[in-house]
Amino acid sequence: MNFPLKQPSQIALIVSLALGLSACNDTQATVSTSAAKVEKIDSAAAIEFINQAEADLANLNIEANRAEWIYSNFITDDTAALSAAMGEKVTSTSVRYATEAAKYAHVELDAVNARKLNSLRSSLVLPAPLDPAKNAELASIVSELNGLYGKGKYCFADGRCLTQPELSNLMAESKDPAVLLEAWQGWREIAKPMRPLFEREVELANEGAKDLGYADLSELWRSQYDMEPDVFSAELDRLWAQIKPLYDSLHCYVRGELNEQYGDEVAPKTGPIPAHLLGNMWAQQWGTIYNSVAPEDADPGYNVTELLAQNGYDEIKMVKQAEGFFTSLGFGALPDSFWTRSMFVQPQDRDVVCHASAWDLDNLDDIRIKMCIQKNAEDFTVIHHELGHNFYQRAYKNQPFIFKNSANDGFHEAIGDTIALSITPKYLQKIGLLDSVPDASKDIGLLLKQALDKVAFMPFGLMIDQWRWQVFNGTIKPEQYNQAWWDLREKYQGVKAPIARSEADFDPGAKYHVPGNVPYTRYFLAHVLQFQFHKALCDIAGDTGPVHRCSIYGNEAAGAKLNEMLEMGASQPWPEALNVVTGTKQMDAKAVLDYFAPLQVWLDEQNTEANRQCGW
């Protein structure tokens, strides 16, 4: 598409150069007046461009959502082809608008349009170079990297060939260190061919970022957080420094328990933990080893999966109950279309994408979830989380299209997780699933189970992009990719490769988000923000008990404050949105420490009694 609105900007630039040359002997007032006229012309052109881009992208977004929904719910060669074609159209349009937006970066605009322009310019994850041949090359690399990951399998000597989900299940269930090591090592074989492709992808994307006015892709990614990129990096360091003492206590305890289980040869008493022993392919969450490290008296005395069955909860009733959480806060009920258009149960007549997700099809009221719901405790929590996304989407529906998003990319995930933190025994009692709330002696087990997933994840959530940003800006050279990866994993997680690795390996590629080019810092932010939101909402609700026992269910004051923030969407810098609920414009991980305070006391006692040498 040709944009006639480009022309006023180009004319203005020529005029400004002419005025600059002819005004050398004129008064300053004449120069200022002339410059003001030029700026006015530029501003008008920029606003016209923004309005056109926003309208075009809004329409394209609806079309893309429908294509993707159909593909996810009816997987065939035809729907896959339609989805891919739509994805290519969205990408090419977004690149075109981002490139155009960069031309107006120097223009002074009102706050709203300046924010929209910056969003158009900086929202690309993998900007393509302007050179058409390089653009095509980048698209080919992206497709090939996704294919290598998606088709990846590891075949055992007995002939079993397992996909990544199957290998992950094996690692979650097996306690045989030899089996764990083979699965861990085998999956990483699929990443080796990615290394040269990834290296070239970085070169091309950096060129694309420079075309948009950024120094490199690292600067572009870090420019999306309403602060200078280096200031944002410093914020992450500050938050991690708050969390690290709690993580250190958890790491020390888990390492000690694994040592007792496996012995010194497999799980040493000191130093980093071998990555294959933590129940997860990437050692990013440790919840699956809970039964191996939980104290003997950790059983809270109830099983949510059993309670759901005893109380006649089917898939629809589970979703209705989660909706009831939000309506108890004062939110309106979900529209009828939600119930007729969502997918709750895996169909038997076709292939579908079962991964749970929340959808906003028309940027207004056509909100849905897509899940193959299992009638268990995990999915009961997941449903609450996904509806958190849906209620967020509906809350900001009256914002302009570019602002129909969360305040920053960590907020959307954080809202769903904030709601999930309120699924406490107190909540289960209020909705009739529990007769009584267990006493505080049962809290340690519940907190340990959460910490193994949430606290253990935090350094991993941070280090993925620490590695990528240094790759993007050239601090980490291609010949250092794998060594730098493990250096950072040891620095942040205290985790090490269980066998020797070399630069023939490309272990970052074994994590989907690296070949898939999905920014990861959002997940670290979400893990901080959810606790900050939960603590603030509990305070608003007037709950004076331990924050880990609080549920905001039924409190309309907390719901009103939450809705006030959600309605803002991305219209204001995220500190303004944060301030609405928390009363501060600064992210703060103290709420994480408050939530897990009883657990940290207990962990430190266990480590002291066992005379464990903490740290690595």
Side-chain angles (χ1 to χ4, degrees), residues 211-335:
D211 288 341
L212 296 176
Y214 298 95
D216 51 53
L217 194 56
S218 166
E219 186 176 280
L220 189 157
W221 281 25
R222 291 179 295 134
S223 294
Q224 299 174 13
Y225 294 95
D226 297 306
M227 56 178 61
E228 291 298 317
D230 289 344
V231 175
F232 177 64
S233 294
E235 273 292 278
L236 297 177
D237 291 341
R238 180 184 62 80
L239 291 169
W240 173 237
Q242 289 183 281
I243 298 162
K244 191 174 185 299
L246 171 60
Y247 179 79
D248 288 353
S249 297
L250 180 67
H251 179 281
C252 188
Y253 173 78
V254 168
R255 183 180 59 192
E257 295 297 308
L258 291 174
N259 173 258
E260 291 184 18
Q261 179 179 343
Y262 290 110
D264 293 347
E265 290 299 313
V266 174
K269 289 180 181 179
T270 60
I273 301 172
H276 67 310
L277 301 179
L278 290 161
N280 177 272
M281 180 60 77
W282 308 278
Q284 67 181 60
Q285 291 167 304
W286 307 346
T288 57
I289 65 167
Y290 171 75
N291 290 335
S292 298
V293 302
E296 292 181 4
D297 58 350
D299 184 1
Y302 67 89
N303 182 304
V304 173
T305 300
E306 294 175 1
L307 293 175
L308 292 170
Q310 292 166 9
N311 287 272
Y313 273 72
D314 61 11
E315 295 87 354
I316 300 299
K317 188 174 180 180
M318 289 168 71
V319 181
K320 287 282 188 182
Q321 184 57 66
E323 179 195 32
F325 189 107
F326 289 90
T327 56
S328 82
L329 299 178
F331 289 88
L334 292 164

Side-chain angles (χ1 to χ4, degrees), residues 255-508:
R255 183 180 59 192
E257 295 297 308
L258 291 174
N259 173 258
E260 291 184 18
Q261 179 179 343
Y262 290 110
D264 293 347
E265 290 299 313
V266 174
K269 289 180 181 179
T270 60
I273 301 172
H276 67 310
L277 301 179
L278 290 161
N280 177 272
M281 180 60 77
W282 308 278
Q284 67 181 60
Q285 291 167 304
W286 307 346
T288 57
I289 65 167
Y290 171 75
N291 290 335
S292 298
V293 302
E296 292 181 4
D297 58 350
D299 184 1
Y302 67 89
N303 182 304
V304 173
T305 300
E306 294 175 1
L307 293 175
L308 292 170
Q310 292 166 9
N311 287 272
Y313 273 72
D314 61 11
E315 295 87 354
I316 300 299
K317 188 174 180 180
M318 289 168 71
V319 181
K320 287 282 188 182
Q321 184 57 66
E323 179 195 32
F325 189 107
F326 289 90
T327 56
S328 82
L329 299 178
F331 289 88
L334 292 164
D336 291 342
S337 60
F338 172 88
W339 300 102
T340 58
R341 298 174 183 176
S342 290
M343 186 185 83
F344 305 116
V345 181
Q346 183 172 2
Q348 299 303 306
D349 62 342
R350 63 185 190 270
D351 291 327
V352 300
V353 177
C354 274
H355 183 77
S357 53
W359 296 66
D360 176 10
L361 271 288
D362 66 352
N363 303 315
L364 289 171
D365 295 298
D366 190 357
I367 49 179
R368 315 174 188 179
I369 63 169
K370 178 186 61 57
M371 284 184 68
C372 301
I373 296 173
Q374 306 298 305
K375 291 176 283 189
N376 58 33
E378 180 180 358
D379 274 12
F380 189 56
T381 297
V382 170
I383 293 166
H384 285 72
H385 173 95
E386 296 302 336
L387 290 194
H389 289 299
N390 280 151
F391 279 92
Y392 203 162
Q393 290 162 340
R394 189 172 67 174
Y396 55 59
K397 71 177 184 178
N398 293 324
Q399 291 288 346
F401 172 73
I402 291 177
F403 295 154
K404 289 184 180 184
N405 208 334
S406 55
N408 70 36
D409 58 5
F411 272 60
H412 236 307
E413 292 298 326
I415 296 305
D417 284 343
T418 298
I419 298 305
L421 288 175
S422 275
I423 304 178
T424 60
K426 183 188 296 185
Y427 169 59
L428 298 177
Q429 182 191 39
K430 284 185 177 180
I431 63 175
L433 282 178
L434 262 186
D435 292 330
S436 60
V437 177
D439 64 63
S441 68
K442 302 298 185 183
D443 288 357
I444 293 301
L446 293 171
L447 286 171
L448 178 61
K449 194 170 183 65
Q450 280 194 306
L452 289 170
D453 279 332
K454 292 183 179 293
V455 177
F457 174 83
M458 289 182 176
F460 184 83
L462 183 61
M463 66 76 50
I464 294 279
D465 283 349
Q466 297 293 316
W467 179 82
R468 273 195 289 207
W469 293 343
Q470 291 181 59
V471 167
F472 295 159
N473 68 23
T475 302
I476 295 174
K477 308 296 183 188
E479 60 271 19
Q480 304 166 323
Y481 279 171
N482 222 51
Q483 181 62 48
W485 173 262
W486 285 108
D487 287 347
L488 286 169
R489 294 205 65 178
E490 181 168 337
K491 172 185 175 182
Y492 285 105
Q493 286 187 279
V495 165
K496 68 178 181 180
I499 53 173
R501 310 304 283 165
S502 74
E503 293 305 325
D505 300 302
F506 184 59
D507 294 332

